[in-house]
Amino acid sequence: MIDRKAMEIDLHQARMARLEAEAANCDVEELLWELQHVQLGRQRIVFSIAGFEQEAAGAPN
């Protein structure tokens, strides 16, 4: 017998994973665009990796 509730939960989890992957892809594309459009000599390049900042903020003390 097919468990429709389990299928619904699996489908929801798959949709959430897809949305997270799409958001990560947008972040990468934005970073690549910024790196490709740097005009050396007119601005300073500052690299900040938000992932490390988020992990540090969420880490227990």
Side-chain angles (χ1 to χ4, degrees):
M1 186 167 157
I2 297 174
D3 184 356
R4 292 187 185 267
K5 187 64 176 173
M7 286 176 53
E8 183 180 330
I9 291 170
D10 289 344
L11 181 59
H12 176 71
Q13 290 174 341
R15 286 179 176 152
M16 296 308 297
R18 179 183 52 94
L19 291 174
E20 290 176 11
E22 288 176 353
N25 184 48
C26 289
D27 291 344
V28 170
E29 287 180 355
E30 181 180 334
L31 178 62
L32 288 173
W33 186 92
E34 289 176 8
L35 290 173
Q36 290 171 345
H37 292 88
V38 169
Q39 296 178 359
L40 297 178
R42 294 188 179 178
Q43 56 187 307
R44 293 181 181 207
I45 300 175
V46 178
F47 292 98
S48 173
I49 302 174
F52 291 122
E53 293 170 0
Q54 291 173 356
E55 287 178 10
N61 293 333

